[in-house]
Amino acid sequence: MFLKGAFGLALAVILDSCSKPAVSTVSLSPDGTIGIDAGISSAGAFQVSIQHHDKTLISPSPVGILLADRPFRSLVETGRQAFVPAFGCSGERLSAREKVQGGRMVVLETSACDDGAAFRLIVPAMAGPGKWRVTGESTRFVTARNDACLGVRHAEFFNSHEGDYRPVRLRALTHDDLYDLPLTCATGQAGETYALTESNIENYAAAYLTGTASGDGVSIRLTPRPDDDRLAAILPVRQPIKTPWRIVMIADRPERLVENQMVQRLAAKSRLADTTWIQPGKAAWGWWSGLLAPDVPNAGHNMATYRRYIDFAGRMGLRYYVIDQGWASTPSGRGRPADVLTPAKGIDVPELVEYARRRGVRIWLWTDWKSLDGRMDTVLARWQGWGVAGMKVDFIYRQDQAVVGFYHRLLATAAQRRMLINMHAAFVPRGLETTYPNFLTQEGAMGNEYNRWSRKVTAGYDVRAAYTRATIGPMDYTPGGFRNVTPAAFSPQAPAPEVMTTRAHQLALFVLYPSPLTSLADAPVAYRTSDGRWAPGVTFLRDVPTTWDETRGIAGAMGEWIAVARRKGNRWYVGAITDGRTRAVSLPLAFLKDGRWTVRAWLDGTTPTALDRRTGEVGATGTLGVRMSANGGAALIFERP
């Protein structure tokens, strides 16, 4: 268990003073709407401020890194240089040196984009055998407003990164809080909204957000090392320290945060020379439903049940079948990881791979991360020999420096073996899917699985997740629960779990939540009617893609309802969901741009499982009225007639 120690905070004093103005210049986004002002205060500390539409969004805020052995002294500027940090952004490098003989260099990089601003610190490498021992950062985001935010609070550093993004006022955050990323906030100025997060993490610890001692904003709090909770990162001085980009995503309307790509644009570029083998797609999945298969005797972790799910995937046109925990041999002894080199008795993985191949389906296998750590090459080589497409890596629960290193090693090694990756009980996205495109999706979210044992995954949660977690990267929520009931009728159960949202709501999640690998939650039997026909809604599931060419947040009210449009080729798909209230909404159709379009709609029916199917023709200049039931939604497809 990690402790939330405050060791090293005293070292921040000289870099934590922003009481006087800095000597600074402003970098403007290409469209001129966002500016980031960087400089050095009269106290010798880096500081930044961020403007949106010529108004202050983030007030002058300190930026600093804390070292255990030799804290940085007062800084003096040595130079500025313009650079382009990413496509569609402008930036500046502000170099400084300590005001002492032989003072060390520090660089502050800034980025101003049309959809936000960001900054990071770089401490250049030095000669010698020593080590950087990072205890934390003095970096804060200061605001004069008491903004209304949505965030996930954790009680300790060791956690699954699954929780509800609950409403919280910015000044209600305390120094002992641990808020996961992103923290999404509304300023109260029309629809202006921003989200705090980070990108491009390597050789460093991932961050949480906490309150400040003065209550004027939030602070960066690095995850401590498990072997020494006083330290966040250790690396040789011959390597530079590079903090992740500290990102402020900005939108004029809260639903437009779903369009934001700053996390991906500021990530390290792809390290894979060949990505032609990487194929996104939907998957069948048996864990949530308890491998339910009424037509298979003794259904469970056996070849007959696995074949049943493979058959379903092939008939549905799904690219994959994810075989979850239970396929591998489990040694005796509590807490010992599974032997993922040895299938359980009666399971023949190569035979399943071949059976699936003949049906146009490929196999993923589950593993816990400790079964990989220390023998990664051996496991990946074995699975590649079996013909497995990807691995679902589970039970990570950490985001310290060592685990960040594990992610990089696994993703790079898996790419060499042409293996796809899905991380579970994992930290939230920080752009690694850009650096390693074989990283298709990850959890770091409370998904449909919680319906097996809790009442936490409500329609309201789904809406809040769309404004927060879904804005920063792939989200393995596993939508598609087809046992739809009202909250009053719901009870957690397994197998055959239920969901407290309508069928149309579940369809809409396939559009709302990005995930290049999207696993359908339910069992094959749930997607058939009692007479063997495909159930209402399956047509949409078969059509909807998992990757997109364009995204637009088209309407909504933060935390209450949302509508998102995504384009694939010549088709637009729209997903809309509401919380526990019935709503009649008007969806603007300007994203269609011009001409006439046919629309197919899957709307809420008279019961949670019922769908009201509509078709029609619309123009791009008007609006489309949609009624959503309580806990409901709508899924629509637009195409040229």
Side-chain angles (χ1 to χ4, degrees):
M1 192 66 63
F2 300 142
L3 301 176
K4 291 184 276 188
F7 180 82
L9 293 180
L11 306 182
V13 174
I14 200 135
L15 290 180
D16 199 23
S17 173
C18 292
S19 58
K20 295 183 180 180
V23 177
S24 59
T25 59
V26 178
S27 292
L28 288 176
S29 61
D31 67 1
T33 62
I34 294 172
I36 181 166
D37 189 354
I40 299 175
S41 71
S42 58
F46 278 134
Q47 69 177 36
V48 300
S49 61
I50 296 171
Q51 298 81 43
H52 182 219
H53 294 313
D54 298 322
K55 294 181 180 179
T56 298
L57 180 69
I58 303 296
S59 302
S61 303
V63 182
I65 193 163
L66 310 178
L67 300 178
D69 304 312
R70 185 180 153 203
F72 281 102
R73 305 294 182 87
S74 183
L75 301 176
V76 59
E77 181 179 329
T78 60
R80 292 175 183 263
Q81 180 183 11
F83 83 115
V84 178
F87 175 77
C89 304
S90 61
E92 184 180 62
R93 289 191 180 99
L94 171 58
S95 300
R97 186 182 293 276
E98 293 176 288
K99 289 184 185 178
V100 294
Q101 184 71 26
R104 293 163 295 183
M105 292 288 297
V106 190
V107 177
L108 174 64
E109 291 188 341
T110 63
S111 176
C113 312
D114 293 342
D115 52 359
F119 57 88
R120 71 172 178 178
L121 282 173
I122 299 175
V123 181
M126 298 174 62
K131 295 187 183 226
W132 303 116
R133 288 158 46 89
V134 179
T135 63
E137 295 184 25
S138 58
T139 301
R140 300 205 312 263
F141 297 90
V142 176
T143 173
R145 306 169 309 274
N146 188 18
D147 296 332
C149 305
L150 295 173
V152 173
R153 183 185 182 278
H154 297 296
E156 56 191 18
F157 290 105
F158 185 85
N159 67 80
S160 65
H161 303 280
E162 299 164 359
D164 193 348
Y165 286 84
R166 302 296 303 177
V168 62
R169 284 284 177 177
L170 201 66
R171 290 179 183 168
L173 273 66
T174 72
H175 183 66
D176 289 329
D177 285 330
L178 293 173
Y179 273 83
D180 220 330
L181 305 178
L183 182 70
T184 301
C185 303
T187 66
Q189 304 298 313
E192 183 180 55
T193 314
Y194 65 93
L196 305 178
T197 191
E198 66 182 4
S199 179
N200 199 350
I201 186 168
E202 190 168 9
N203 300 319
Y204 208 69
Y208 291 97
L209 297 173
T210 72
T212 64
S214 56
D216 60 355
V218 296
S219 299
I220 291 292
R221 188 166 202 170
L222 300 182
T223 305
R225 292 171 58 92
D227 57 350
D228 187 342
D229 74 306
R230 298 169 299 175
L231 299 176
I234 302 174
L235 59 161
V237 297
R238 64 179 181 274
Q239 294 181 13
I241 302 174
K242 292 184 178 181
T243 73
W245 284 99
R246 307 292 175 211
I247 296 175
V248 183
M249 300 159 52
I250 304 171
D252 292 321
R253 290 282 311 159
E255 66 272 11
R256 295 202 64 189
L257 283 176
V258 302
E259 305 170 19
N260 199 290
Q261 289 290 302
M262 288 192 70
V263 171
Q264 290 70 38
R265 288 203 309 273
L266 292 174
K269 303 305 179 187
S270 174
R271 295 176 182 173
L272 278 59
D274 176 20
T275 60
T276 57
W277 56 275
I278 298 172
Q279 295 182 312
K282 297 187 287 288
W285 178 52
W287 183 88
W288 188 69
S289 62
L291 284 171
L292 191 66
D295 54 344
V296 176
N298 302 312
H301 292 287
N302 55 55
M303 296 291 282
T305 307
Y306 291 159
R307 290 191 192 102
R308 177 70 182 87
Y309 277 75
I310 292 169
D311 290 340
F312 163 70
R315 290 168 185 153
M316 273 281 287
L318 309 180
R319 191 182 298 276
Y320 299 112
Y321 170 42
V322 178
I323 302 179
D324 216 298
Q325 185 178 15
W327 71 270
S329 175
T330 304
S332 60
R334 185 174 181 179
R336 295 181 64 187
D339 180 4
V340 296
L341 292 172
T342 307
K345 185 177 180 180
I347 304 299
D348 188 328
V349 174
E351 182 180 322
L352 286 171
V353 167
E354 175 58 22
Y355 184 87
R357 185 194 65 78
R358 293 197 300 267
R359 288 153 181 80
V361 177
R362 296 200 66 196
I363 298 294
W364 286 61
L365 293 179
W366 172 96
T367 177
D368 61 288
W369 82 283
K370 290 184 179 178
S371 294
L372 286 174
D373 202 23
R375 57 173 185 170
M376 193 179 293
D377 289 324
T378 301
V379 173
L380 285 163
R382 177 71 57 84
W383 287 23
Q384 183 187 37
W386 287 343
V388 172
M391 58 172 50
K392 179 178 180 178
V393 184
D394 207 349
F395 300 142
I396 304 174
Y397 285 93
R398 288 167 47 186
Q399 60 174 27
D400 52 81
Q401 182 190 19
V403 164
V404 170
F406 170 81
Y407 274 60
H408 279 271
R409 291 194 309 277
L410 173 60
L411 294 168
T413 306
Q416 293 170 1
R417 297 285 183 182
R418 297 199 164 195
M419 193 82 67
L420 305 172
I421 299 295
N422 173 10
M423 296 287 204
H424 264 234
F427 59 68
V428 302
R430 287 168 166 87
L432 288 174
E433 71 277 11
T434 297
T435 310
Y436 305 98
N438 58 318
F439 189 11
L440 290 194
T441 194
Q442 62 191 103
E443 205 174 30
M446 188 168 66
N448 251 342
E449 67 176 1
Y450 272 72
N451 288 291
R452 285 174 56 118
W453 63 81
S454 80
R455 299 182 60 91
K456 292 182 178 180
V457 179
T458 63
Y461 162 75
D462 288 346
V463 173
R464 292 187 291 274
Y467 283 103
T468 51
R469 171 62 180 81
T471 67
I472 60 171
M475 177 176 169
D476 192 19
Y477 175 99
T478 62
F482 266 35
R483 291 180 180 82
N484 313 93
V485 298
T486 64
F490 174 83
S491 62
Q493 62 188 46
E498 302 166 332
V499 293
M500 291 183 281
T501 55
T502 68
R503 181 74 53 87
H505 183 112
Q506 287 289 313
L507 299 183
L509 297 180
F510 284 79
V511 180
L512 287 166
Y513 296 158
S515 186
L517 172 74
T518 301
S519 295
L520 277 62
D522 229 322
V525 66
Y527 300 108
R528 295 279 191 182
T529 61
S530 58
D531 59 1
R533 294 177 297 167
W534 289 116
V538 166
T539 302
F540 182 85
L541 294 187
R542 298 179 76 169
D543 281 350
V544 67
T546 64
T547 57
W548 308 97
D549 301 323
E550 189 176 356
T551 295
R552 292 286 178 266
I554 58 174
M558 185 165 158
E560 298 178 6
W561 71 280
I562 189 170
V564 174
R566 299 188 194 267
R567 180 179 62 82
K568 185 69 171 184
N570 295 323
R571 282 182 174 180
W572 280 94
Y573 296 76
V574 171
I577 58 173
T578 182
D579 57 13
R581 285 166 284 188
T582 299
R583 297 182 192 278
V585 302
S586 293
L587 303 182
L589 300 179
F591 63 90
L592 298 174
K593 295 183 179 176
D594 56 44
R596 303 295 294 176
W597 295 74
T598 60
V599 56
R600 290 180 285 153
W602 290 257
L603 308 175
D604 288 323
T606 56
T607 67
T609 57
L611 288 170
D612 181 9
R613 286 295 314 277
R614 300 288 182 92
T615 60
E617 188 172 305
V618 297
T621 57
T623 61
L624 182 65
V626 170
R627 181 190 176 278
M628 295 184 285
S629 302
N631 313 297
L636 307 98
I637 301 176
F638 296 82
E639 52 197 330
R640 297 286 190 182

